[in-house]
Amino acid sequence: MKNNGVVVPVKAKLLDVGETTATFEFVTALTADPAGTWTVNNVSFDANAQAAVAKVNAATNQVQLLAALKSTYFVNVDEAKIAAYFGEMSGKTYDTVASVQEAIDKINNAAGEQAVIDAIVDAMTNNNEVALLAQLNKPNFKRVNSDFITQYMAEFKGNVNTATTITAASTAVNVQAEIDAVNLKATQDAVTAADTTPATALTADAIGKAQALVTALPTDTNAEKATKEGLQGKIDVANAVVKVKAATTQASLLSALKSPVLKLQKIDDALAKYYKDKLVPANITTASYDIQTNIIDADKTAAIADYVSKVGAVTAETNTAELKAVLTELKRLDGTNFTETISDSLLKDYRTAIVAAAAGDKDSVGEINTLIQGKNSPTSALTVVVDAGGALDTADKLLAALQAKTLNLTTLVAANKDAYYTDKALLQTAAGTDAAALAKAVNVINAVVSANEASTATGLRTALTNHSANLATPNTAYLDLSAQAKLEVAEIIMEAKTAAFANSAAVTTAVGANAGAGALKVHADILTAVNGEDADSSY
């Protein structure tokens, strides 16, 4: 420890983590009270300053207090104000020079404040705006805008707010409240000018002026914060609208439209070329609605109309890739009215239907959907397969009927045409229901072919599973077996089989059921013999 640069030994003391104060014991006791500057670990402590504060705390009358305040540690002490100093400081304990000085300044400022108030009242009395502004520009006040001096004068005189007219008994707080009231009204007026005033709404100049005033508003209370945030929100929307209007490229327009403050919905990047700034919003309040309605929504409608026109303009020379692109985009834009699936295999048929349709039958999304639906519909092709007139009298003719694009029989195998013809009745019955039933019937016959080609029980099991699953009434007795049990049933069929399965019915008979006949019954009997009754639990 050092006193005025001279080392004064003290006994070592270890501080715990977090301790910020300590009491030191001198090796040799001091012969007088500590004075001057003491330094511990490069931290200085002015004992004289503390002594000056102690004298202020010890003063019991005005004379003693004035003597204490005349220390060089305190400034701006006015002897004429000693009574006010004593009234403020008496009975209080101060810790630092700064806290004493704060009390001095408080008394001094109170007297100075009253002088300012008196000068403001005098300026009001004489209607002197210059003198008024001179007083308002003093440190007593904040947020004074010289552009509003006339409004301040009117406000102080009570012309605007008669409830709080400035008088000689007012305080700086009253004056500041009136200043803020004028500023708020001027700010609100500026935002209105940027918002709804026809001559200035959404102009850069009006927005800039409003922004400057909004920025200067106070936020000392929650109410002030809420007011400022509300006004700032309008300015933010205005700035976002300006960016929309100023966009010169698709990219910049999309970026502007995606501003979070606009809260626009369903912005479609693919429609950037349609989005146009074809409106000037009337004001900030309705700007988002106007943009949503007149750009986002209206231009999507325009895009839909454009693509309807493109479909209507299809000719016999239009290639299928172009047709698919146009139809796909139209469906994306209006999936509500364009519900049909676009099939690559039917693109030529779509083109034929579109070209053949009258102009009035293809000038809306719904009408185009109807044209596509007509070509997608399997009704005619199903009727051909049902073959009420017996025209499908060869395997090739039946195969050709099954290959109709609208049936979309993706599992159809040309090599299985003879098997299809053998089981034609099965196919005809299914075709009388719908395309899905016909597709399952095709799968059943494919499974018959696979069963005949199977050389192992595993291969036969797969075929039997497909067959049982695709029957009009699935064979759940077989499907519910475990994989091992299915394999065992397949082995039983392979051992008993002496010839190829003639058709689907032959496979069904071979599999059978748990009761009656067939491999399932044989399998169940074997289990009963091995395990006793009800021994099928493991399966």
Side-chain angles (χ1 to χ4, degrees), residues 18 223 431 458 463 471:
T458 301
L471 289 171

Side-chain angles (χ1 to χ4, degrees), residues 205-236:
D205 183 59
I207 293 170
K209 289 179 179 178
Q211 179 65 80
L213 294 177
V214 170
T215 300
L217 290 177
T219 55
D220 298 328
T221 67
N222 288 335
E224 288 174 342
K225 289 178 182 177
T227 297
K228 184 172 182 176
E229 287 173 0
L231 294 171
Q232 184 62 57
K234 288 192 171 187
I235 299 301
D236 291 342

Side-chain angles (χ1 to χ4, degrees), residues 519-536:
L520 285 173
K521 177 64 169 60
V522 174
H523 183 260
D525 290 345
I526 292 173
L527 289 178
T528 300
V530 173
N531 301 318
E533 292 186 1
D534 301 322
D536 195 30

